[in-house]
């Protein structure tokens, strides 16, 4: 599968260049720390015509909430502010279709112990991994940072097209995951599951293996050796759900440096990414060499601003709390 690039962008290289140019022009905004608003006099760092627009008594600060989702500015906005908002929305990658319940209801025998949020995530992502594995002809999936093995069990035992073997990798969690694995196998072999149409074969229990494996930026060779040892002459892929901070960078580097055929990754906790020169989590690409983000930018990257409009009251409350945090600071 290829990235669906924004309209008018011809290649990934061109897209990277556009991102770099936009950050060079507007990066001063995410570099601002919200709690420093008063002590660093951040208001004065905004362009004068922006300050005039936002400082007008007629401006409704609540309009910032739908603005984050739609990009629509009210009347009287200066052209430079409109250009900034238009550029940010132009560079957005397209969202996927709404997740719904992700097929969670059909996987109820696999979802023991998960929160409702985790159920939706695992059900939805397992379908994506299955589609990619089937398209790439992968018979083995390495689930990195597998934790309790929720995603791993659905991939190994669920109604997938690819029917892969799965190595569930985690730096420390194994015993608890194996307990949940045995519990799931017992449920799948039970009468209720059979009545629900689950076609269970005891041989399927061998599809999932939990492995203690710490993954860092130099783990590509170790992951390749695990894959080749578990399933020689089998095409394999990497996946990760909520791969925190540098773990996502490590997964991407391993994909680039090994014979893994595909990667499906849901990163999280961008604020835990380490940066050059002391760290190696960012940048990974030559296109971004020399770009420095900093902690405020990485924290800002964790904000799903497009979702603010779905919960306007909670978002407005967060605005108020951040105001008082900045005031106390």
């Amino acid at each position: 599968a290829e990235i669906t690039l924004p309209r008018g962008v011809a290649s990934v290289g061109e897209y990277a260049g556009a991102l770099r140019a936009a950050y060079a022009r507007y990066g001063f905004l995410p570099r601002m720390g919200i709690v420093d608003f008063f002590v660093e006099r951040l208001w004065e760092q905004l362009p004068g015509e922006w300050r005039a627009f936002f400082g007008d008594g007629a401006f409704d600060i609540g309009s910032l909430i739908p603005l984050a989702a739609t990009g629509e500015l009210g009347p009287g906005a200066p052209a430079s502010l409109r250009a900034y908002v238009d550029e940010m929305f132009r560079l957005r990658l397209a969202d996927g279709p709404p997740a719904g319940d992700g097929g969670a209801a059909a996987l109820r025998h696999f979802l023991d112990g998960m929160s409702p949020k985790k159920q939706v995530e695992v059900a939805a992502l397992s379908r994506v991994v299955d589609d990619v594995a089937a398209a790439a002809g992968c018979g083995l999936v390495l689930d990195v940072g597998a934790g309790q093995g929720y995603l791993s069990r659905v991939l190994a035992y669920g109604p997938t097209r690819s029917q892969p073997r799965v190595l569930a990798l985690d730096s420390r969690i194994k015993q608890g995951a194996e307990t949940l694995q045995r519990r799931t196998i017992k449920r799948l072999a039970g009468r209720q599951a059979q009545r629900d149409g689950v076609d269970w074969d005891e041989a399927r229990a061998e599809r999932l293996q939990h492995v203690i494996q710490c993954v860092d930026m130099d783990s590509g060779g170790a992951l390749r050796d695990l894959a080749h040892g578990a399933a020689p002459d089998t095409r394999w892929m990497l996946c990760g759900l909520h791969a925190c901070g540098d773990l996502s960078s490590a997964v991407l580097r391993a994909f680039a440096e090994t014979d893994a055929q595909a990667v499906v990754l849901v990163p999280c906790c961008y604020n835990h990414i380490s940066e050059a020169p002391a760290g190696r989590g960012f940048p990974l690409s030559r296109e971004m060499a020399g770009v420095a983000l900093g902690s405020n930018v990485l924290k800002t990257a964790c904000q799903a601003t497009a979702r603010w409009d779905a919960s306007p009251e909670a978002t407005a409350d967060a605005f108020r709390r951040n105001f008082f945090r900045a005031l106390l600071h």
Side-chain angles (χ1 to χ4, degrees), residues 109-114 118 122-123 126 142-158 166-185 188 207-211 239 241:
H109 298 290
F110 301 85
L111 305 180
D112 180 43
M114 297 189 212
K118 178 70 77 173
V122 168
S126 64
L142 271 60
D143 182 8
V144 180
Q148 297 287 1
Y150 296 127
L151 175 62
S152 301
R153 285 192 294 279
V154 174
L155 292 172
Y157 303 147
V166 179
L167 295 184
L169 311 181
D170 200 88
S171 62
R172 61 185 184 275
I173 299 174
K174 184 178 181 184
Q175 185 174 354
E178 289 178 335
T179 297
L180 289 173
Q181 179 182 357
R182 289 190 293 270
R183 192 180 300 168
T184 299
I185 290 172
L188 293 173
R207 286 186 187 169
L208 173 59
Q209 179 184 355
H210 291 273
V211 179
C239 75
L241 174 59

Side-chain angles (χ1 to χ4, degrees), residues 10-313:
S11 67
V12 172
E14 181 182 335
Y15 182 53
L19 291 175
R20 183 167 182 152
Y23 183 66
R25 184 174 184 182
Y26 298 115
F28 72 95
L29 290 167
R31 284 194 292 269
M32 295 179 177
I34 188 68
V35 297
D36 298 322
F37 185 82
F38 297 111
V39 296
E40 298 290 341
R41 306 172 73 92
L42 298 181
W43 172 254
E44 297 174 12
Q45 296 182 26
L46 295 177
E49 56 186 0
W50 294 21
R51 296 200 305 271
F53 174 67
F54 291 129
D56 189 323
F59 179 75
D60 175 16
I61 194 171
S63 67
L64 293 175
I65 297 174
L67 166 63
T70 65
E72 295 182 6
L73 280 164
S80 62
L81 180 59
R82 289 188 180 277
Y84 161 66
V85 173
D86 289 347
E87 181 71 352
M88 294 303 100
F89 275 79
R90 183 183 75 84
L91 293 175
R92 274 184 168 182
L93 293 175
D95 291 332
D101 72 352
L107 298 174
R108 62 191 182 93
H109 298 290
F110 301 85
L111 305 180
D112 180 43
M114 297 189 212
S115 67
K117 174 178 178 290
K118 178 70 77 173
Q119 290 183 9
V120 171
E121 291 171 344
V122 168
L125 189 63
S126 64
R127 291 187 303 173
V128 176
V129 175
D130 182 34
D131 288 345
V132 172
C138 293
L140 176 67
V141 176
L142 271 60
D143 182 8
V144 180
Q148 297 287 1
Y150 296 127
L151 175 62
S152 301
R153 285 192 294 279
V154 174
L155 292 172
Y157 303 147
T160 56
R161 289 188 300 143
S162 56
Q163 299 285 289
R165 289 190 60 189
V166 179
L167 295 184
L169 311 181
D170 200 88
S171 62
R172 61 185 184 275
I173 299 174
K174 184 178 181 184
Q175 185 174 354
E178 289 178 335
T179 297
L180 289 173
Q181 179 182 357
R182 289 190 293 270
R183 192 180 300 168
T184 299
I185 290 172
K186 183 177 181 180
R187 185 180 297 109
L188 293 173
R191 293 180 179 178
Q192 183 59 55
Q194 306 307 306
R195 286 194 291 268
D196 291 343
V198 174
D199 183 18
W200 179 253
D201 181 344
E202 287 298 327
R204 295 176 66 185
E206 303 301 319
R207 286 186 187 169
L208 173 59
Q209 179 184 355
H210 291 273
V211 179
I212 296 291
Q213 176 68 50
C214 182
V215 176
D216 58 27
M217 300 299 288
D218 298 311
S219 294
L223 295 178
R224 180 196 60 230
D225 292 345
L226 276 173
H228 292 180
D233 302 319
T234 300
R235 293 163 70 91
W236 61 286
M237 65 173 287
L238 294 155
C239 75
L241 174 59
H242 295 310
C244 183
D246 278 356
L247 183 57
S248 284
S249 300
V251 170
L252 292 174
R253 183 177 289 277
F255 169 66
E257 294 179 347
T258 68
D259 58 345
Q261 299 299 308
V263 60
V264 175
L265 185 64
V266 179
C268 75
C269 303
Y270 301 115
N271 52 305
H272 291 312
I273 293 175
S274 66
E275 290 191 77
R280 300 169 62 194
F282 180 88
L284 295 177
S285 168
R286 290 187 297 271
E287 299 284 351
M288 294 297 167
V291 174
L293 300 178
S295 61
N296 285 335
V297 173
L298 293 172
K299 290 174 184 176
T300 302
C302 295
Q303 298 295 320
T305 54
R307 297 172 57 188
W308 286 359
D309 200 31
S311 304
E313 292 183 4

